Amino acid sequence: MASFKSYNINNNGDKKIIGKLITSLKNLIDIESKEYNIYNAVREENNKRISKNSPYVGIKNIGSLCYINSIMQQFYWISKFKSSILSANDNKPPDKSFNLTDDDNILHQTQRLFTFLSFSSFGEFIPQNFIFSIKIFGERINHNQMLDSSEFYLHFLDSIKTLLENTEYKNLIEDLFCGKLQVKKICSECSNTSFREEEFKSISLEVKDIKDIYQSLDNYISEEIIDDYNCDKCNKKVKLKKSLMISSLPNILVIHLKKMIYNNKGELEKINSKYDFPLELNIKNYSKENNKVNEDYYKYNLRGINIHKGTATGGHYISLIQTSKENNKWYLFDDSSVKEYDFNLYEEEFNKKDKSDSAYILFYESVQEKPMKTIFKENIPKQYLLEILDDNKTYENIYGNKVIDVNNELIKIFMDIIDNKSFKLKDKKVTYYEIKDLIDI
């Protein structure tokens, strides 16, 4: 048993030290209590899930989390990203440092999310464990506070990149989302010229008083004059000419439209003007690599639109996603609701002057694939496949609809696992639940 010496507080200095210790301890307890309360609040949300009304699965909004749901659907529909996340093995056990039953590892929780979006018989996924694993600048998010979807996009990629560092997918983020900018600086006095490369995962474009994306890109690469720049060669303050070009194109070009700006009064406002962008974007005039023979190298097809509805101080995020390039099918993902969308309606519904519902982030996919270091595979963690077997059985018990054999792809995955374990099941039709009994994790 531990023993403690009594401590006599004899002077004001001692009292101040003890006072600081007590305050620090109280703050630590308050932080832990706050996180625990948020965690419990999320877990205690209504767990009743809807049945499917489309081929795809939505994500339940268990707070003010539409900004997360809408972006995670965009990530899910980038096929190489989805398959790589599901296949990645960080060789780490579940992180149960905060809670003894749930995994606090965001890579593992993203794998679980993607598995359920792929194979669930329910119409929605309840993301409480995934939400709780998200940390921004080391802090867990408040599930009742809506944040900016473009900021979440960047934070999520940074978090995943860190967890992939010791896996065979360590280059995934760079291969798919990262491009490079060449920043050029010219001294107006001595003409000293310097170049610097900067990596980007998205490009933020001005939209105020601008009609379309090409005008925004023209503005993006236009020369900027910077006053009072300290030139090392002149050894004095001068005017500097600064410009940039895209020096390396990404496979997935993500463009953030700067709809939220501060006005002259220092108030945040949203720009609701009409703004055009094409289904096929040609980036050649903005690329330093403008000497390629194949024009497809510069072309990008629109694959997704993250839409903000409402004002600068509040609103709602949804996503439009092209789920099939071959059939040109688009779906609207609005939290739990997933509906097929007629893209011919886009201009009327989301691109009219003074309409508050409009595009906020654009996801473009390169027509010609750029070189990548990652070797892509397709695999799904077995523990999540087993979990979804039980979950689909729950669906059957609730709704009375048979889900056996409804997903041939899932059965094929399990059959592959069984074959690898030398099971012989010739001439036998295997259901979801019989398969479960044959797999030993």
Side-chain angles (χ1 to χ4, degrees), residues 223-253:
E223 191 172 83
E224 174 187 4
I225 303 297
I226 301 174
D227 293 322
D228 296 328
Y229 180 81
N230 191 22
C231 176
D232 293 335
K233 193 169 183 179
C234 293
N235 199 25
K236 64 179 180 179
K237 290 185 176 181
V238 298
K239 285 187 176 182
L240 180 80
K241 298 176 183 178
K242 179 183 175 182
S243 61
L244 55 83
M245 293 287 283
I246 301 174
S247 57
S248 178
L249 298 176
N251 278 295
I252 305 295
L253 178 61

Side-chain angles (χ1 to χ4, degrees), residues 345-371:
L345 300 176
Y346 177 81
E347 288 295 318
E348 179 66 24
E349 294 185 348
F350 299 112
N351 195 29
K352 294 185 72 174
K353 184 179 179 181
D354 299 326
K355 191 172 180 66
S356 63
D357 304 352
S358 57
Y360 190 56
I361 307 175
L362 307 176
F363 290 80
Y364 279 97
E365 182 180 58
S366 180
V367 171
Q368 180 180 317
E369 191 174 275
K370 311 298 182 285

